[in-house]
Amino acid sequence: MSQDNYKKIEKQIDTIPPLSPVTSQLLAIISEPNHSLQDVVTVVETDAILTSIVLKTVNSAAYGLKDTVETAVDAIRFLGDSMVAGLAIKREKSGISDAPLTGYLADADASWAHSLKTAIAARYFAKRFSNGKVREGVAYTAGILHDIGKSLLSSLLPAESFQSINDSEFLELEEQLLGINHAEAGFMLAYKWSLPKAMCEVIRWHHEPSKAAEEFKTLAYIIHLADITAMMSGSGTGIDTMRHSIDSEYKKFITVDERGLELAFFEIQLEYNQTFKAIQACFDSSKSVKSEEVK
Amino acid sequence: MGKSIILGVGDFGATAETNGILKTYALGSCVAVMILDKKTRCVSMAHVALPESSISPSKAMSLPGYFADTAIPALFEAMKRATGGVLSPANDLIVKMCGGANVSDTNNTFNIGKRNALALKKTLWKYGLAPRADDTGGNFSRTVALYQATGIVEISSPGKENWKI
């Protein structure tokens, strides 16, 4: 890696605010196989702003619930603990899941839309195609976090050079231009944040899942495929959309045929439409959420 | 410039309004299929995500634009609604399509882009139609705008100059 870029990325990582204790705790809890709903509720209830985000989301028109949900425990039961962790990450001051990726020529909402679609696809694949080897909550959270490295590289990418790019693999292009790819940069940040081991592994290897540690390989393949699924179905992150290849060895870890995948695409899209609207409505009406946090 | 109608994944629409624009964003493996009626000057577009409605027949009834086999008849109906019931015969209709990008998968399972484009051609064939302009395949995403006034389709993709079909 060129020494200059390495230093720039290290410097950037130093300026990124750390994850809030509540988000870190939620990520740790979800990584625990035997956690209970109450473990999540207890943490969420210590944070008034997160509680209000969770309640606003569950009561948004997109879900169309007949009765208003009034307690955190009912809201978390409905949304699922991993989606609550996703909301906690979106609320983070670092903007790590929803930063505009201008260096990737992506639209303003592209980063969050891609993270959310990948998370929903990953949870679906874990449930239907992993033969019980990957827990849904872990897959969802890894889907939200997998591309955190892009926000680090975005400002360093020389957008003007894209006019002449050929159809090469985008990961290789990042390495050529910057000496590092977004997966490795994301891993540096994940390590600094002391994220759970599973998250560090899939952030680092989501484009090269065969390199993940044995115990996390199925999860890495799930995020690999969920990431590509999001790009295929219109939720990419700009210039690199569709410019990553599939590691065909996924067949050893994931059981899926053409028809099963097509049904997955359809159901993932419908769930995404609903969830995106619910979360958008909540964050639009809480424009102050992040600034309140900064005070 | 006329009114723009933005279509999301699985949406479809038609306009006969002068200078109307039909637009859809970020086609990956999805295909935008467009029908232009030379006589009525009505144009239509569907953002097709999947080849066959048989994977979810009940939902396909309310969401026909998602599937290649149900999107074409849905476009015909939308065009009739836009013109007060008039749709010209097949030889006065022009079809264009674009999108259907692919990531390389030697298992073929993820080649949905290719399957979408093929399924659309098969469905069009049933109605005596074939695409006059076909910009499908490749490994990049496309945003597409169809202009009623000229029938020109303008395609953009991050990092590329816009092109027309």
Side-chain angles (χ1 to χ4, degrees):
Chain A
M1 188 196 306
S2 103
Q3 217 45 32
D4 265 7
N5 282 326
Y6 186 81
K7 278 197 186 132
K8 275 184 199 158
I9 289 164
E10 270 198 324
K11 218 168 153 188
Q12 232 179 318
I13 288 179
D14 283 339
T15 64
I16 289 180
L19 284 181
S20 68
V22 165
T23 303
S24 298
Q25 282 177 59
L26 286 172
L27 291 173
I29 289 170
I30 285 166
S31 296
E32 278 300 318
N34 299 319
H35 73 273
S36 68
L37 181 77
Q38 192 52 47
D39 297 336
V40 175
V41 174
T42 306
V43 172
V44 171
E45 282 180 340
T46 63
D47 184 327
I49 294 170
L50 183 58
T51 303
S52 94
I53 290 172
V54 166
L55 287 170
K56 273 185 194 163
T57 303
V58 77
N59 289 311
S60 84
Y63 287 119
L65 297 181
K66 214 171 95 203
D67 299 318
T68 305
V69 176
E70 283 168 354
T71 63
V73 63
D74 288 341
I76 296 167
R77 191 174 287 127
F78 179 84
L79 296 173
D81 49 14
S82 55
M83 179 159 164
V84 172
L87 291 170
I89 295 165
K90 179 163 171 63
R91 181 275 303 251
E92 281 295 314
K93 274 182 288 185
S94 60
I96 205 69
S97 66
D98 59 1
L101 300 176
T102 39
Y104 287 83
L105 308 177
D107 296 335
D109 276 342
S111 173
W112 170 248
H114 176 70
S115 300
L116 182 65
K117 177 83 71 81
T118 305
I120 291 169
R123 182 169 59 195
Y124 189 101
F125 291 172
K127 187 176 179 186
R128 311 285 168 100
F129 305 147
S130 84
N131 303 315
K133 281 186 280 179
V134 172
R135 284 182 299 118
E136 294 168 41
V138 173
Y140 185 97
T141 321
I144 293 282
L145 289 170
H146 76 288
D147 263 348
I148 56 173
K150 282 185 181 166
S151 66
L152 295 171
L153 300 194
S154 178
S155 63
L156 303 174
L157 279 170
E160 66 280 6
S161 68
F162 291 151
Q163 293 304 332
S164 59
I165 66 165
N166 50 26
D167 288 345
S168 62
E169 278 282 301
F170 203 81
L171 215 59
E172 287 166 19
L173 193 72
E174 285 176 340
E175 285 162 13
Q176 275 169 31
L177 292 170
L178 304 174
I180 187 171
N181 65 53
H182 70 273
E184 194 63 31
F187 170 71
M188 287 164 69
L189 179 58
Y191 188 77
K192 165 105 193 285
W193 277 350
S194 305
L195 292 184
K197 182 105 193 287
M199 299 299 141
C200 291
E201 280 289 298
V202 296
I203 289 167
R204 187 177 204 176
W205 301 121
H206 67 276
H207 289 295
E208 299 167 281
S210 66
K211 293 183 180 169
E214 208 52 45
E215 59 182 308
F216 303 119
K217 228 166 227 177
T218 307
L219 176 63
Y221 272 97
I222 281 180
I223 301 304
H224 176 61
L225 297 178
D227 182 21
I228 284 170
T229 297
M231 292 182 178
M232 287 171 68
S233 59
S235 305
T237 49
I239 184 79
D240 74 327
T241 303
M242 307 296 287
R243 285 201 164 103
H244 298 282
S245 61
I246 289 185
D247 177 347
S248 301
E249 293 292 297
Y250 69 82
K251 283 270 175 185
K252 289 185 187 159
F253 302 87
I254 311 288
T255 313
V256 59
D257 58 15
E258 287 182 8
R259 215 173 154 76
L261 183 69
E262 286 170 15
L263 182 59
F265 259 61
F266 186 52
E267 293 186 337
I268 289 164
Q269 185 64 37
L270 297 185
E271 184 179 344
Y272 166 81
N273 289 345
Q274 187 179 45
T275 311
F276 187 83
K277 265 188 222 151
I279 296 177
Q280 198 73 350
C282 164
F283 276 83
D284 280 352
S285 68
S286 328
K287 286 265 189 243
S288 55
V289 167
K290 282 185 184 171
S291 55
E292 272 175 45
E293 286 282 282
V294 177
K295 279 175 200 164
Chain B
M1 197 165 279
K3 201 173 102 190
S4 284
I5 300 172
I6 310 291
L7 302 168
V9 179
D11 285 345
F12 64 97
T15 181
E17 207 175 292
T18 311
N19 296 324
I21 300 166
L22 296 170
K23 190 165 184 182
T24 197
Y25 289 93
L27 295 161
S29 59
C30 299
V31 177
V33 60
M34 293 153 278
I35 304 179
L36 295 72
D37 189 325
K38 284 196 284 188
K39 289 269 163 63
T40 65
R41 308 292 297 172
C42 178
V43 296
S44 65
M45 178 192 285
H47 183 133
V48 173
L50 292 161
E52 282 179 44
S53 61
S54 59
I55 60 160
S56 189
S58 56
K59 286 199 175 133
M61 299 274 280
S62 56
L63 301 167
Y66 267 92
F67 305 99
D69 54 346
T70 46
I72 302 297
L75 285 183
F76 292 154
E77 289 311 310
M79 291 172 85
K80 282 185 198 162
R81 278 195 298 276
T83 57
V86 187
L87 180 69
S88 301
N91 51 6
D92 284 323
L93 301 179
I94 295 170
V95 179
K96 298 185 180 188
M97 54 195 256
C98 53
N102 280 294
V103 283
S104 135
D105 174 14
T106 51
N107 302 311
N108 287 326
T109 311
F110 277 76
N111 296 345
I112 291 182
K114 198 184 275 179
R115 298 207 290 281
N116 280 336
L118 267 174
L120 272 169
K121 284 176 190 167
K122 260 169 76 177
T123 308
L124 288 164
W125 181 253
K126 264 176 51 185
Y127 295 97
L129 294 165
R132 179 174 298 184
D134 179 358
D135 186 74
T136 53
N139 66 339
F140 47 89
S141 82
R142 294 166 172 90
T143 286
V144 177
L146 165 60
Y147 296 89
Q148 184 273 345
T150 56
I152 287 174
V153 176
E154 187 165 27
I155 303 165
S156 60
S157 180
K160 288 181 186 286
E161 296 281 342
N162 290 2
W163 67 101
K164 290 171 181 174
I165 61 168

